Amino acid sequence: MPEQEPKVRARNFDEVPFGYTPELAQLESSRCLQCKKPKCMEGCPVEIDIPAFVKLISEGDYKSAALKLKERNALPAVCGRVCPQEDQCEKLCIVGKKDQPVAVGRLERFAADWERTKGEVTLPEKAPATGKKVAVVGSGPAGLTVAGDLILKGHDVTIFEALHKPGGVLIYGIPEFRLPKAIVQSEVNYLERLGVKVECNCVIGRIDTVDELLREYHAVFLGLGAGLPQFLNIPGENYCGIYSANEYLTRSNLMKAYLFPKYDTPIARGKNVAVFGAGNVAMDSARTALRLGADTVRIIYRRSRDEMPARIEEVHHAEEEGVQFYLLTAPVRFLGDDNGWVTGVECLRMELGEPDESGRRRPVPIKGSEFQLECDMAVVAIGAGPNPLLPTQTPGLELNKRGYIVADLETGKSTKPKTWAGGDIVTGSATVILAMGAGRKAANSIHEYLTS
Amino acid sequence: MAEKTVCHLRVEAPKIAQKAQPGQFVVLRVNETGERVPLTMGGTDPAAGTIDLIFQVVGKSTALMRTLNVGDSIQDIIGPLGKPTHIEKIGKVICVGGGTGVAVMYPITKAYKEAGNHVTAIIGARTKDLLILEDEMKAASHDLRVTTDDGSYGVHGFVTDVLRKILDEQKDVKLIVGIGPVPMMKFLCKLTKEYGVKTMVSLNPIMVDATGMCGACRVTVGGKTKFCCVDGPEFDGHEVDYDELVKRQRAYLTEEKVSMEEFKAAGR
């Protein structure tokens, strides 16, 4: 797949991969064996008919390929870009046993982009109006999927979003260079054209409670996401220039601080940046820091390369762009100056011991191995938990010990009547596609309830 | 009200006006390139569906807001945010407001009085032109004292000078609420700690989302990190690390200057 040169792209916010040309797409799609028992489909959380859409591309019928995708996936342009296909469909591909698997993700992106840029998005037919109203709280991937499914089934759907733009993590979390915001807006516009109402600037839990919503709506879906930043809880963490990844990425992606002063929201442009964590969010933060002008960006992670949760593709992109990796290293405390700005971090070297409850080998400090790293900015990207704002204000909604909503994983039903939940607020931080899968299941369950 | 530095906007926001409680705030974005600006509400009119925002013009966003005229629109407004003030009938309450802190102090003062407390209010500003809501605060309390730093109106001195006098005279004050610039709240709490009177303050750190998802507004209270937007904005004033708050508020001084210079250069 043709990509921007690492040194060039590390200083701009344009997408890294250019995308397939029709020629490349046809070539790649004809590698598919059209297996009678497609293993790839077993790996897809939303059960896309992969051989079918791939065949349509190989036949040059891109419009039908996009339609085929949309039968099971409301956001194909998004998934084609951010799904960890290497752990899902492509991992099970038969061609992949002897050769490179068929590039399902890139083909999905090609078909979705083709349809979007040609400007002829066909609207599927909706079922007759049922007279039932559903409130979806959160416009991230789970909420958008629930809305997209239920509107087609004839229900009246309104999405309530706390931020001023819809998309959830798609708009605030994933950077422009991995997922252009125009695409997210285009996907939301598609839903609005289908009849979904989107109300931004509504913080359910403050402007209205779930119980107040239930007076007007027949069912409520909670797709709140993992919106509580996790901090290291080490001394000095409140020095200026130390951001949670949520804040750093929200400033850059949602508020477009990378265009300051054209856009009013500022963001620190550290020259020497330390990013803690090694998931996709840490890679996004590190690569954003480079694009904002950093000379040195270091990923500091307490385990080793094998345990890093980020997509290999994202680690690869980060390395090519010049991000340094300090593995088996954990932070002990931050250092700062008299103005309260961070100047460095004291670290400790680690080694791997026995596995902990996550199944990964536990990092064990090496005594006496303290050393200091200079930095003028830091991003803490070690995970996000459940934002308690709404869950703790909703009687009858059972939460588990860590504050996540307890919901049936097959139906999304919570312990509160007429209330479903799915995505990160149930499982903890996961992926866009898993949230969509949860949204699909909840939509089916809600539909069953509304029509029984 | 000072012509160019203190601004009062009455905004049509019916749902927020209906739901807002004393002590809560809103976040607004004037236009597409605007930042998210948190502002406390200086009063609401649920029947008319409006909320009052009174603020000092300190940078580009507030300067931009000052250019808004009747009939103009604000692109995004979110609220009500923050935990409402905890109002109960406890006896003698003193409400102290400094500068534009008096704006949010007003609905709080009114609420304490309506709850059956005996309310003394002290409001202060640097100079007469910066005093706000004097008549409203008089109506909202049983006893109003006014101070100006330069003596141009009322008592010549700080709100803390008047407070000290009252605390010397009255030994049965149950609660003090203090809202204003950080140094004012810091010194107010130093004073009230001497007298052992519980004091609540309302903090104003930088915020981005204001719903608890980013941590920009983190403050240290009682040695623990709290998010001002969801755990506050009111906290026990004796437990707050004011020095850290001031440093964090200054994190973008350079950028703020750049924004303001560009704004002025564009002839606004």
Side-chain angles (χ1 to χ4, degrees):
Chain A
M1 165 86 112
E3 286 185 344
Q4 277 198 71
E5 270 285 301
K7 289 273 177 286
V8 171
R9 74 189 192 223
R11 297 300 183 196
N12 70 41
F13 279 81
D14 302 327
E15 274 200 272
V16 172
F18 289 125
Y20 279 154
T21 55
E23 295 73 37
L24 282 172
Q26 292 212 343
L27 234 117
E28 183 62 21
S29 54
S30 42
R31 292 179 63 233
C32 172
L33 301 178
Q34 295 293 316
C35 302
K36 288 230 166 24
K37 286 197 181 152
K39 285 264 160 224
C40 52
M41 283 179 69
E42 287 169 30
C44 178
V46 293
E47 299 161 326
I48 292 175
D49 189 343
I50 297 171
F53 95 81
V54 171
K55 180 159 195 244
L56 287 163
I57 293 178
S58 71
E59 290 165 356
D61 189 353
Y62 311 134
K63 187 171 170 153
S64 301
L67 254 164
K68 178 59 63 179
L69 277 168
K70 285 207 159 136
E71 279 173 18
R72 309 297 301 155
N73 184 342
L75 313 171
V78 173
C79 291
R81 286 169 164 79
V82 306
C83 255
Q85 297 97 4
E86 67 276 9
D87 288 333
Q88 297 171 167
C89 49
E90 291 173 14
K91 186 174 183 176
L92 301 172
C93 174
I94 299 291
V95 176
K97 295 226 181 293
K98 294 250 173 80
D99 196 347
Q100 288 296 315
V102 173
V104 178
R106 289 166 180 181
L107 291 169
E108 179 179 25
R109 181 193 153 161
F110 169 78
D113 283 356
W114 189 91
E115 190 199 42
R116 198 185 74 254
T117 51
K118 289 290 173 247
E120 283 169 20
V121 175
T122 12
L123 294 181
E125 247 189 74
K126 282 161 56 170
T130 62
K132 302 288 185 181
K133 294 176 70 168
V134 181
V136 175
V137 184
S139 67
L144 292 175
T145 301
V146 171
D149 282 5
L150 292 178
I151 197 83
L152 288 179
K153 292 177 160 55
H155 306 295
D156 180 300
V157 182
T158 305
I159 300 178
F160 294 96
E161 167 56 46
L163 293 174
H164 57 273
K165 286 203 191 292
V169 76
L170 304 175
I171 192 106
Y172 76 75
I174 304 179
E176 180 71 19
F177 57 84
R178 268 219 292 145
L179 179 62
K181 302 311 149 209
I183 292 178
V184 180
Q185 192 57 55
S186 168
E187 306 280 58
V188 175
N189 288 346
Y190 167 72
L191 291 181
E192 285 180 300
R193 285 173 58 202
L194 284 175
V196 174
K197 284 166 275 194
V198 182
E199 308 247 2
C200 291
N201 300 322
C202 283
V203 183
I204 302 301
R206 287 263 178 247
I207 192 76
D208 271 324
T209 60
V210 172
D211 284 328
E212 281 170 314
L213 285 179
L214 284 170
R215 285 194 221 138
E216 198 191 326
Y217 296 87
H218 298 96
V220 173
F221 175 78
L222 301 176
L224 314 176
L228 183 73
Q230 245 161 268
F231 282 99
L232 293 160
N233 295 318
I234 59 175
E237 202 160 23
N238 289 349
Y239 281 129
C240 297
I242 301 178
Y243 290 105
S244 71
N246 270 2
E247 183 186 350
Y248 189 61
L249 294 173
T250 296
R251 282 179 183 270
S252 182
N253 304 327
L254 174 67
M255 307 308 297
K256 299 205 192 300
Y258 65 90
L259 293 173
F260 178 88
K262 176 163 176 232
Y263 280 72
D264 293 343
T265 304
I267 192 168
R269 288 175 178 251
K271 287 292 175 206
N272 190 344
V273 180
V275 177
F276 299 93
N280 292 323
V281 176
M283 298 306 134
D284 285 343
S285 304
R287 296 169 71 197
T288 297
L290 277 177
R291 284 154 175 78
L292 288 174
D295 295 322
T296 307
V297 179
R298 298 173 170 122
I299 289 269
I300 299 178
Y301 180 54
R302 58 189 183 146
R303 290 186 169 97
S304 77
R305 189 167 285 264
D306 288 340
E307 289 83 30
M308 285 173 61
R311 287 184 70 192
I312 299 195
E313 180 176 319
E314 303 307 333
V315 176
H316 189 56
H317 280 148
E319 268 175 327
E320 284 177 337
E321 289 166 16
V323 173
Q324 297 172 25
F325 286 75
Y326 276 64
L327 304 173
L328 293 168
T329 307
V332 174
R333 65 190 175 99
F334 287 104
L335 309 161
D337 64 18
D338 292 332
N339 290 322
W341 268 90
V342 66
T343 55
V345 56
E346 188 178 282
C347 299
L348 201 57
R349 295 218 185 276
M350 314 296 268
E351 57 190 352
L352 293 180
E354 289 304 302
D356 67 15
E357 69 276 352
S358 75
R360 290 174 296 167
R361 293 182 68 191
R362 183 193 307 267
V364 175
I366 297 174
K367 272 192 136 160
S369 69
E370 284 87 348
F371 68 102
Q372 287 186 2
L373 281 172
E374 274 183 20
C375 66
D376 59 359
M377 203 195 100
V379 181
V380 180
I382 58 173
N387 188 317
L389 187 75
L390 185 156
T392 55
Q393 306 257 15
T394 309
L397 190 70
E398 192 187 319
L399 308 176
N400 72 12
K401 272 201 308 247
R402 291 157 68 205
Y404 295 108
I405 295 179
V406 171
D408 185 308
L409 288 176
E410 281 313 303
T411 61
K413 278 192 185 155
S414 75
T415 54
K416 188 177 173 69
K418 307 193 227 168
T419 310
W420 282 253
D424 287 1
I425 192 62
V426 172
T427 60
S429 305
T431 60
V432 166
I433 192 68
L434 284 174
M436 292 177 66
R440 165 75 27 88
K441 289 179 179 151
N444 289 339
S445 175
I446 294 173
H447 178 65
E448 207 187 292
Y449 164 74
L450 293 176
T451 52
S452 62
Chain B
M1 214 171 289
E3 236 260 270
K4 289 186 170 124
T5 28
V6 178
C7 193
H8 181 171
L9 289 182
R10 180 156 286 165
V11 182
E12 186 187 307
K15 198 108 197 254
I16 299 176
Q18 219 179 48
K19 292 294 180 82
Q21 292 175 69
Q24 290 189 301
F25 63 98
V26 295
V27 159
L28 51 82
R29 233 170 58 105
V30 179
N31 56 26
E32 185 55 29
T33 56
E35 49 168 356
R36 290 170 64 96
V37 184
L39 287 175
T40 43
M41 288 180 274
T44 59
D45 189 341
T50 60
I51 62 173
D52 288 314
L53 303 173
I54 305 171
F55 53 90
Q56 185 125 24
V57 175
V58 292
K60 189 238 167 120
S61 297
T62 41
L64 183 61
M65 285 164 64
R66 178 176 52 199
T67 66
L68 294 173
N69 291 310
V70 175
D72 286 341
S73 294
I74 288 173
Q75 186 163 318
D76 298 290
I77 186 158
I78 310 102
L81 300 171
K83 284 191 174 146
T85 310
H86 176 68
I87 309 279
E88 56 173 337
K89 183 175 175 182
I90 43 172
K92 254 194 196 162
V93 177
I94 304 182
C95 294
V96 188
T100 44
V102 176
V104 70
M105 198 70 244
Y106 168 51
I108 294 173
T109 308
K110 207 160 59 143
Y112 272 114
K113 184 179 178 197
E114 282 165 7
N117 296 292
H118 180 271
V119 179
T120 302
I122 309 172
I123 62 172
R126 272 184 282 125
T127 182
K128 179 179 184 186
D129 278 348
L130 294 174
L131 275 172
I132 59 171
L133 302 178
E134 187 190 348
D135 294 335
E136 288 86 347
M137 285 299 280
K138 191 164 186 160
S141 59
H142 295 101
D143 175 11
L144 174 70
R145 316 284 178 98
V146 183
T147 72
T148 47
D149 297 3
D150 65 358
S152 51
Y153 188 78
V155 173
H156 185 173
F158 299 129
V159 290
T160 38
D161 300 329
V162 173
L163 180 62
R164 183 182 281 282
K165 262 195 148 168
I166 297 177
L167 290 176
D168 282 337
E169 293 160 11
Q170 298 172 33
K171 295 301 171 192
D172 55 344
V173 175
K174 286 285 185 294
L175 173 73
I176 296 168
V177 185
I179 305 180
V182 178
M184 174 215 138
M185 292 190 290
K186 176 178 170 182
F187 287 107
L188 185 101
C189 289
K190 232 174 154 205
L191 169 66
T192 62
K193 193 149 192 197
E194 283 175 42
Y195 289 81
V197 183
K198 177 163 182 198
T199 308
M200 295 301 283
V201 296
S202 182
L203 303 181
N204 57 345
I206 292 172
M207 292 185 182
V208 181
D209 73 291
T211 58
M213 64 81 100
C214 82
C217 66
R218 56 195 192 278
V219 289
T220 301
V221 182
K224 295 201 162 83
T225 296
K226 300 279 177 193
F227 288 2
C228 189
C229 64
V230 291
D231 299 320
E234 284 171 35
F235 294 100
D236 180 337
H238 295 143
E239 300 284 301
V240 173
D241 183 342
Y242 296 101
D243 294 337
E244 179 189 83
L245 173 59
V246 168
K247 285 177 182 161
R248 288 183 62 76
Q249 282 179 326
R250 298 167 69 88
Y252 297 100
L253 282 185
T254 316
E255 290 85 350
E256 287 165 13
K257 212 170 161 213
V258 168
S259 262
M260 199 53 176
E261 275 162 12
E262 289 234 348
F263 186 68
K264 286 185 179 153
R268 308 287 293 278

